[in-house]
Amino acid sequence: MINQRLNIVILAAGRGTRMHSDRPKVLHQVAGRAILSHVIACAEQLGPERVVVVYGFGGEIVPQTISRPDITWAMQAEQLGTGHAVQQALPWLNRDGITLVMLGDVPLLQASTCKSLLTHAATCLALLTVEKPDPAGYGRILRNANGQVQAIVEQKDANDEQRAIREVNSGIMAMPTARLIEWLARLDNQNNQAEYYLTDIIAMAVADGVGVVSEMAADEWEVTGINSKQDLASVERQYQRQTAAGLLQAGVTLLDPERLDVRGDIKVGRDVSIDIGCIFEGTVDIGDNVSIGAYCIIKNARLGNGTTVAPYSHIDDAQVGQDCRIGPYARLRPGSQLSSDAHIGNFVEIKNSQIGSGSKINHLSYVGDATVGREVNIGAGTITCNYDGVNKHRTIIGDHAFIGSDSQLVAPVTVGNGATIGAGSTITKNAPTDALTLSRGKQITITGWKRPEKKI
Ligand code: UD1
Ligand code: CA
């Protein structure tokens, strides 16, 4: 549902000096996606009329990388502080509405937390705070004797007494846009960082008699800002912990929830088991009764019901049918499609190929640009020679064919249904149906031959 009156401003112009990187901070990744993309995803869940992202350091790289035409991009050429940053978004804001300010470096914020904050923002300044065991680096919340918020003081401007305060500013706040416009016009940069602080509007609201309502985030991790590589690593871990908790909740068996990485979207059926050290990327759809061994990397793939993936297998852009057996050490490259009951064993690479049901390629083979029928047995060390140095060609193998070990099928070539290829053959012409085809020098024995002896 679109909330006509809600505008969201995301601040993402900062360099991120403490990251020690040439890349703009908000483009560093959490769970395989830009930090900023996580914030945008949260903003979207609130159904805003408009999302304005303030960008600056790194220039057009930020909008280009995020690549979202539905977002309004406001340039902050010089990073003069968070208040100055919000000012750059003002031309796009609906004066009659509410503005929610989010920070582009706080990626784990939950939409439910924002929704709750927004219930106060029609008339008040609503501020999300959090209690941090170690508040270093954050703005501290100053309250009066009655517990009412009076102001925020930044770490660098705070005295010792203020620095001892553990309730800090999350940076997330919402208020009537008309008020925001008035307050921003009155900001100055008389502070230890010579910046226009957004946080100074809290004291202005208090002075103007506008209520300041604060809510505390339920979980501290939700509002962790990423300022350093240490923060990035701990936010990544936290994200993965949440994902693992969600999978456990859904009934997945995780041999160790601390050793799982999901960098994308994973969908799971019933009775799925995942061993340690697996990485899932992109969109992965796992059926019922699937078991995945240790240290597999699975990206943009679908695994049918009952399939087993043994350890150290890589699956990338592939569709795997039901009851297949993959690995250990198998590699399914883009365009691999396996029908049910296919077996792909150790050190086998499949690319851009369809493998029919019940077919087996169990050892040390390369099958690329091939169409393999049903119940085919491909012996150890078989290679489809699909590339002539310029073009790729297809190999077609009919149902019930048997390819002897260590054969090369030089494409374009067709092996008929029920054909047998003798071991060690180099097949350059089509092999007919139901016949034995082989290309091999005849075996001879030289009698009386002696092994060479060592000369002294
Ligand atoms: C800010 C808050 C602090 C709060 C903390 C929470 C201010 C003055 N301080 O501090 O109270 O506890 O966030 O994480 O608001 N940015 C711009 N343009 C600028 C400056 C910053 O777009 O000129 C963006 C940055 O890209 C970043 C966000 O604003 O995404 C926060 O800036 P940062 O410099 O990280 O502020 P903090 O020191 O963390
Ligand atoms: Ca920050």
Side-chain angles (χ1 to χ4, degrees):
M1 199 188 69
I2 304 277
N3 182 343
Q4 293 293 350
R5 301 190 55 234
L6 176 63
N7 291 173
I8 298 181
V9 178
I10 302 176
L11 305 186
R15 165 197 275 269
T17 313
R18 291 163 279 178
M19 297 292 273
H20 302 291
S21 166
D22 293 333
R23 202 189 310 175
K25 173 165 77 176
V26 293
L27 294 185
H28 286 269
Q29 296 192 336
V30 168
R33 281 158 79 210
I35 295 171
L36 177 57
S37 297
H38 289 271
V39 183
I40 291 173
C42 174
E44 263 175 347
Q45 288 177 54
L46 302 169
E49 175 193 40
R50 189 185 281 277
V51 175
V52 185
V53 177
V54 181
Y55 73 111
F57 179 78
E60 298 307 316
I61 293 172
V62 177
Q64 272 162 18
T65 307
I66 301 297
S67 180
R68 290 282 304 259
D70 51 335
I71 297 264
T72 304
W73 295 92
M75 177 72 171
Q76 185 194 24
E78 263 190 293
Q79 286 78 61
L80 303 179
T82 49
H84 179 260
V86 177
Q87 259 168 341
Q88 311 313 305
L90 293 184
W92 288 280
L93 301 185
N94 175 355
R95 253 198 98 86
D96 302 324
I98 290 170
T99 296
L100 169 67
V101 178
M102 298 170 80
L103 302 186
D105 65 351
V106 180
L108 300 185
L109 183 67
Q110 302 296 300
S112 51
T113 302
C114 298
K115 275 184 192 148
S116 164
L117 196 66
L118 285 170
T119 58
H120 310 288
T123 51
C124 296
L125 194 168
L127 180 67
L128 185 66
T129 72
V130 68
E131 194 87 55
K132 286 250 176 212
D134 174 14
Y138 288 83
R140 308 299 203 278
I141 305 294
L142 308 185
R143 291 179 182 271
N144 66 12
N146 299 326
Q148 289 157 330
V149 176
Q150 298 299 294
I152 295 175
V153 59
E154 288 304 302
Q155 163 98 13
K156 289 194 174 137
D157 303 295
N159 59 34
D160 286 347
E161 193 188 329
Q162 291 165 334
R163 284 185 185 194
I165 297 171
R166 288 210 300 267
E167 189 189 4
V168 304
N169 172 27
S170 71
I172 315 316
M173 53 182 90
M175 64 243 106
T177 305
R179 291 287 191 183
L180 175 68
I181 295 169
E182 279 172 41
W183 294 328
L184 289 178
R186 281 154 50 192
L187 287 182
D188 65 42
N189 64 353
Q190 305 302 303
N191 52 57
N192 285 337
Q193 302 190 82
E195 283 184 7
Y196 295 89
Y197 290 162
L198 176 63
T199 43
D200 285 350
I201 70 172
I202 311 300
M204 292 180 190
V206 173
D208 288 354
V210 175
V212 176
V213 180
S214 72
E215 282 206 356
M216 237 186 240
D219 294 297
E220 187 208 329
W221 54 262
E222 220 190 302
V223 291
T224 301
I226 297 178
N227 297 314
S228 64
K229 289 289 171 72
Q230 286 90 332
D231 294 337
L232 184 65
S234 67
V235 165
E236 175 75 31
R237 264 311 89 216
Q238 187 56 47
Y239 178 96
Q240 297 302 345
R241 229 171 264 143
Q242 295 304 118
T243 307
L247 289 171
L248 290 170
Q249 182 76 29
V252 177
T253 301
L254 298 177
L255 276 290
D256 182 357
E258 291 287 326
R259 284 182 288 173
L260 170 79
D261 288 82
V262 178
R263 302 171 190 159
D265 299 309
I266 183 171
K267 202 175 137 224
V268 285
R270 289 177 77 78
D271 293 302
V272 168
S273 163
I274 302 173
D275 208 333
I276 60 165
C278 292
I279 300 176
F280 297 91
E281 298 179 58
T283 305
V284 176
D285 184 350
I286 300 175
D288 298 338
N289 292 302
V290 170
S291 156
I292 300 172
Y295 301 106
C296 289
I297 301 179
I298 301 180
K299 178 178 179 183
N300 294 327
R302 195 177 57 77
L303 304 181
N305 296 347
T307 282
T308 300
V309 182
Y312 298 100
S313 295
H314 289 196
I315 300 179
D316 179 3
D317 237 316
Q319 306 286 317
V320 176
Q322 298 194 4
D323 300 312
C324 288
R325 286 192 357 219
I326 317 283
Y329 300 100
R331 182 169 183 216
L332 304 185
R333 289 176 51 205
S336 298
Q337 294 174 2
L338 275 49
S339 300
S340 56
D341 290 301
H343 293 189
I344 307 297
N346 41 222
F347 307 107
V348 172
E349 173 180 348
I350 311 282
K351 186 215 73 174
N352 187 30
S353 295
Q354 292 80 44
I355 311 298
S357 61
S359 290
K360 298 184 175 68
I361 314 171
N362 273 330
H363 328 270
L364 298 156
S365 292
Y366 171 61
V367 174
D369 300 306
T371 304
V372 177
R374 307 166 54 90
E375 308 286 340
V376 170
N377 196 315
I378 295 187
T382 298
I383 290 173
T384 56
C385 307
N386 58 328
Y387 187 49
D388 60 14
V390 185
N391 296 302
K392 300 273 172 71
H393 301 283
R394 285 200 81 78
T395 300
I396 297 174
I397 302 175
D399 297 344
H400 302 284
F402 181 98
I403 314 294
S405 296
D406 193 28
S407 293
Q408 303 92 51
L409 306 171
V410 181
V413 73
T414 298
V415 175
N417 289 348
T420 301
I421 303 296
S425 296
T426 301
I427 300 297
T428 55
K429 295 195 281 284
N430 292 349
T433 303
D434 294 325
L436 169 66
T437 300
L438 69 165
S439 75
R440 200 196 276 166
K442 283 219 160 54
Q443 180 169 330
I444 56 166
T445 302
I446 299 169
T447 48
W449 178 83
K450 291 234 163 30
R451 288 186 187 173
E453 282 172 8
K454 186 124 182 150
K455 293 198 177 87
I456 16 164

